[in-house]
């Protein structure tokens, strides 16, 4: 992908968020990089590095497969060149959102996620009651040739009462305002891989 189309993509995300509160870009980064990220996610799963995701925060965290059934591992810089490239692309998105919407986004936190067949994540909002730093949710999908009948859509509940189902198709990036958009992950008949994360503001509480 040329730099030019990438910056056009960033502009579309900024405009969509301003107008609708969400944006779906079918090819955020190259297919080559997307496949390397998918391969890395699979390798981590095989090595046992992905752990059942918890619900809640800090010491309150619990694994509850009736709420969410994905397995995750947090991304850290310097682990893998493909992950670093992805983090770089998200930093460019962070800067574009700050320039266009004055969101004051400071950093990104995110994880690989693998939903085994049948796993789901019940309807929720990406914000903790005691921590409002998560401002923009960013989900990047890693699954080649996803078919609608395989399930696994991310169902977004829009402020106007409509819903949108987004298939977890390789290369697609879904961005939405974390506070305003309840959503759920529907069960799928095959493994469902993604990189899910949040662009965060500075916290209000004591540091
Ligand atoms: C989440 C989430 C959506 C997805 O991890 O909070 O909503 O499509 N993930 O994987
Ligand atoms: Mn979520």
């Amino acid at each position: 992908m040329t730099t030019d189309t990438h910056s056009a993509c960033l502009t579309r995300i900024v405009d969509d968020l301003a107008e609708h509160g969400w944006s779906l870009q079918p090819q955020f980064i190259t297919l080559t990089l997307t496949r390397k990220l998918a391969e890395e996610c699979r390798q981590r799963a095989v090595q046992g590095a992905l752990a059942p995701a918890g619900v809640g925060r800090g010491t309150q965290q619990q694994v509850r497969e009736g709420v969410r059934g994905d397995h995750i591992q947090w991304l850290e810089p310097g682990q893998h060149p493909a992950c670093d490239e992805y983090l770089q692309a998200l930093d460019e998105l962070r800067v574009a959102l700050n320039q266009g919407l004055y969101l004051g986004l400071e950093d990104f936190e995110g994880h690989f996620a693998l939903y085994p067949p049948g796993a789901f994540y019940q309807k929720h909002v990406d914000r903790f009651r005691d921590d409002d730093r998560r401002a923009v949710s960013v989900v990047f999908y890693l699954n080649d040739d996803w078919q609608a009948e395989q399930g696994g859509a991310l169902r977004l509940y829009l402020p106007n009462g409509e819903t949108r189902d987004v298939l977890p198709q390789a290369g697609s990036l879904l961005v939405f305002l974390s506070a305003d958009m309840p959503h759920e992950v529907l069960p799928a008949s095959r493994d469902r891989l993604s990189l899910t994360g949040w662009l965060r503001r500075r916290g209000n509480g004591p540091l």
Side-chain angles (χ1 to χ4, degrees):
M1 201 184 313
T2 66
T3 310
D4 208 43
T5 53
H6 188 64
S7 75
C9 180
L10 296 181
T11 304
R12 283 196 300 275
I13 296 173
V14 171
D15 292 348
D16 285 350
L17 279 196
E19 206 173 330
H20 308 292
W22 68 287
S23 180
L24 177 64
Q25 300 303 319
Q27 206 199 330
F28 178 63
I29 54 176
T30 62
L31 207 51
T32 311
L33 180 55
T34 304
R35 293 215 165 115
K36 284 184 194 159
L37 291 168
E39 174 66 26
E40 176 65 7
C41 183
R42 284 196 183 286
Q43 263 191 27
R44 291 182 187 209
V46 168
Q47 290 161 358
L50 305 185
V55 177
R57 215 165 80 81
T59 53
Q60 304 296 311
Q61 232 189 33
Q62 298 173 355
V63 172
R64 289 171 63 195
E65 285 179 6
V67 177
R68 69 182 289 189
D70 55 333
H71 291 63
I72 68 167
Q73 190 186 34
W74 291 93
L75 281 181
E76 302 290 345
Q79 287 174 330
H80 190 278
C83 298
D84 286 351
E85 251 188 273
Y86 179 72
L87 290 173
Q88 178 60 36
L90 281 199
D91 205 58
E92 287 164 18
L93 174 60
R94 182 186 67 80
V95 170
L97 289 170
N98 284 345
Q99 284 171 354
L101 302 176
Y102 308 105
L103 288 180
L105 303 169
E106 287 213 312
D107 65 7
F108 171 80
E109 63 173 3
H111 55 64
F112 279 110
L114 189 152
Y115 290 74
F120 56 86
Y121 194 158
Q122 279 185 352
K123 186 176 172 185
H124 65 279
V125 177
D126 283 344
R127 210 171 239 206
F128 301 113
R129 247 164 303 166
D130 60 342
D131 180 350
D132 61 0
R133 281 178 300 163
R134 290 178 171 182
V136 178
S137 302
V138 186
V139 194
F140 184 64
Y141 295 110
L142 303 174
N143 311 286
D144 279 332
D145 301 318
W146 195 276
Q147 306 297 321
E149 56 273 19
Q150 292 169 332
L154 180 284
R155 180 164 292 165
L156 266 185
Y157 294 81
L158 304 180
N160 67 7
E162 292 177 14
T163 59
R164 285 281 183 292
D165 282 2
V166 175
L167 296 182
Q169 204 68 257
S172 297
L173 186 81
L174 175 67
V175 185
F176 55 93
L177 298 176
S178 306
D180 302 339
M181 218 71 74
H183 54 280
E184 67 179 312
V185 178
L186 302 175
S189 58
R190 57 181 266 201
D191 283 349
R192 177 190 190 277
L193 279 50
S194 65
L195 272 165
T196 299
W198 299 273
L199 293 163
R200 302 190 301 182
R201 291 200 188 98
R202 190 195 306 269
N204 291 330
L207 290 176

